[in-house]
Amino acid sequence: MDNQSAAGCYIDITKRHTFGIPTRAMGWQEYGSVEALQALLNDLRSRNVDFMPIGQGSNLLFLHDYRGVLLHSAIGGVELVEQDADNVLVRAGSGVVWDDFVAYCVASGWSGVENLSYIPGEVGASAVQNIGAYGVEVCDVISCVEAVDVMTGCVHKFLLDECAYGYRDSIFKQSLRGRYIITSVTYKLSRRPLFRLDYGNLQQAVGENPTLQSVRDAVIEIRRRKLPETNELGSAGSFFVNPVISRSRYDELLRRYPDMPHYPVDETTVKVPAGWLIDRLGWKGKSRGGAMVYPQQCLVIVNTGSATADDVAALAADIARSVWETYRITIKPEVNYIG
Ligand code: EPU
């Protein structure tokens, strides 16, 4: 491992984030335990060095070189902590690769995360971002989240209700942004398969007599078809979150755009696919410098090889502006800009 101290010399982190845009940072430190993280934080605080936790870097756009140390969890392990006739409680270290965790659950016959197969990233970041796909969000199965307070070094256990989960949102992205570093997540999974196949054409892709493995296989197949493999084409998955608008606004838009899809959120609001809005404006395959709207899924911006962060940000801003000018809908990045 290329652990380095932040002695003013920058290291290359281009391969540490999935956009693959050349970037450097003052250091990269891994920790394999809560105690190691506490010691690291203590040291960085005492030297007044900036730091930021990073998983697989699958949701980040570095606008410049990062003037601080990136902290990466190597806390591994998946542990069965409790079980009864119906459910298991499973605790995973924040550094476990998310899709390895999903594969392990599927192989163990534990249901709840199979729809979330093949999402890039690690366990810790998944609980910050509240990752979701095919009708399931990770908060549906989270029981609690353990995290270290970066100011005090104390460990805090957040129960599900304390995490303020929403669509791609959590307390760790809002009021506690930057305050805690997640060290483990505990999930409540079902010992009986509870299939959720009502999203899009998932049911059709899975076919008759589903199993956890066949759902996982179908999701992987769909994702491979629609989304770029980040080791081949840099990206950060969905660049924007799908906007939530009022039903009355949606009804108005529907009169002008009768085929506009939507997902009900609650009685008064609906979610509209930003990919559809963008696609309809002719952005598919359009580029700015080396950044391009992915032709198979307009919600994704890819690095065709020579993109700079400015290219990506400029393309994203142009897209958001055109969506606003046409539909009077604001779309916001899901990707975190690090400036
Ligand atoms: N659509 C288009 N053109 C496009 C893309 C989408 O017309 O270029 C239409 C589709 O035909 C469909 C609708 O928009 O009617 C929704 O598309 P899709 O099912 O691909 O889902 P999405 O809303 O674009 C969300 C998540 C994805 C997740 C999929 C599947 C967000 C921001 N994105 O995308 O998550 O995989 O649903 O559940 O909510 C990610 O977060 O990185 C990610 C890939």
Side-chain angles (χ1 to χ4, degrees):
M1 259 318 132
D2 54 344
N3 281 1
Q4 301 229 347
S5 69
C9 64
Y10 278 74
I11 57 160
D12 184 38
I13 55 154
T14 307
K15 290 195 164 60
R16 305 285 193 185
H17 65 113
T18 58
F19 254 122
I21 293 171
T23 314
R24 299 176 313 158
M26 273 169 65
W28 172 275
Q29 294 275 352
E30 286 205 327
Y31 51 91
S33 66
V34 171
E35 296 71 28
L37 172 60
Q38 288 164 324
L40 253 176
L41 289 170
N42 211 5
D43 172 56
L44 291 166
R45 268 196 319 264
S46 71
R47 292 189 292 127
N48 227 1
V49 174
D50 279 345
F51 56 85
M52 183 183 94
I54 186 170
Q56 283 183 336
S58 52
N59 224 354
L60 301 177
L61 180 66
F62 286 99
L63 298 172
H64 311 285
D65 287 342
Y66 179 63
R67 288 169 200 270
V69 175
L70 296 172
L71 302 180
H72 181 249
S73 171
I75 302 178
V78 178
E79 181 196 352
L80 178 61
V81 275
E82 223 177 281
Q83 59 180 321
D84 61 23
D86 299 320
N87 297 299
V88 290
L89 272 187
V90 184
R91 184 166 178 247
S94 54
V96 172
V97 171
W98 172 257
D99 196 52
D100 291 350
F101 174 68
V102 175
Y104 186 84
C105 294
V106 166
S108 306
W110 302 331
S111 176
V113 287
E114 57 283 357
N115 289 32
L116 304 179
S117 290
Y118 216 55
I119 294 182
E122 292 166 1
V123 160
S126 74
V128 174
Q129 207 60 20
N130 190 18
I131 55 170
Y134 309 102
V136 174
E137 290 182 299
V138 75
C139 68
D140 299 340
V141 292
I142 285 180
S143 167
C144 70
V145 173
E146 280 168 81
V148 169
D149 182 333
V150 301
M151 310 292 284
T152 64
C154 295
V155 177
H156 186 83
K157 188 192 255 193
F158 292 87
L159 299 177
L160 176 64
D161 287 351
E162 295 172 273
C163 298
Y165 281 122
Y167 167 54
R168 296 293 194 280
D169 201 16
S170 72
I171 199 164
F172 308 109
K173 287 180 78 173
Q174 299 296 340
S175 58
L176 296 184
R177 190 185 193 96
R179 180 69 196 266
Y180 284 89
I181 296 182
I182 294 177
T183 51
S184 74
V185 182
T186 303
Y187 305 87
K188 185 177 181 182
L189 302 168
S190 170
R191 301 181 73 176
R192 274 178 302 111
L194 300 173
F195 296 116
R196 301 273 301 271
L197 304 176
D198 46 348
Y199 184 97
N201 56 358
L202 184 57
Q203 173 78 68
Q204 197 187 333
V206 173
E208 296 296 307
N209 306 318
T211 62
L212 295 181
Q213 188 61 51
S214 70
V215 173
R216 173 169 165 76
D217 292 345
V219 168
I220 292 176
E221 214 277 311
I222 298 172
R223 289 188 73 92
R224 281 202 170 127
R225 201 162 5 98
K226 283 198 176 177
L227 298 165
E229 300 278 348
T230 49
N231 54 357
E232 289 164 13
L233 205 52
S235 89
S238 295
F239 197 91
F240 298 98
V241 284
N242 289 327
V244 175
I245 62 173
S246 70
R247 264 180 196 272
S248 53
R249 178 85 190 101
Y250 176 69
D251 290 340
E252 248 171 72
L253 286 164
L254 205 56
R255 283 197 283 278
R256 275 162 58 203
Y257 310 103
D259 55 338
M260 182 184 276
H262 75 291
Y263 307 102
V265 175
D266 55 34
E267 306 263 288
T268 55
T269 56
V270 301
K271 207 190 295 174
V272 177
W276 186 93
L277 302 174
I278 297 166
D279 195 347
R280 216 187 158 283
L281 294 176
W283 281 103
K284 188 180 281 180
K286 291 267 168 65
S287 33
R288 291 279 181 280
M292 181 181 76
V293 177
Y294 192 55
Q296 282 84 331
Q297 164 52 290
C298 289
L299 203 47
V300 177
I301 294 179
V302 294
N303 170 10
T304 58
S306 57
T308 62
D310 286 347
D311 292 340
V312 175
L315 180 57
D318 286 349
I319 292 170
R321 194 176 314 113
S322 79
V323 166
W324 169 253
E325 281 166 2
T326 306
Y327 309 101
R328 290 289 183 258
I329 292 177
T330 303
I331 55 169
K332 294 193 182 138
E334 173 174 357
V335 170
N336 296 309
Y337 288 42
I338 311 296

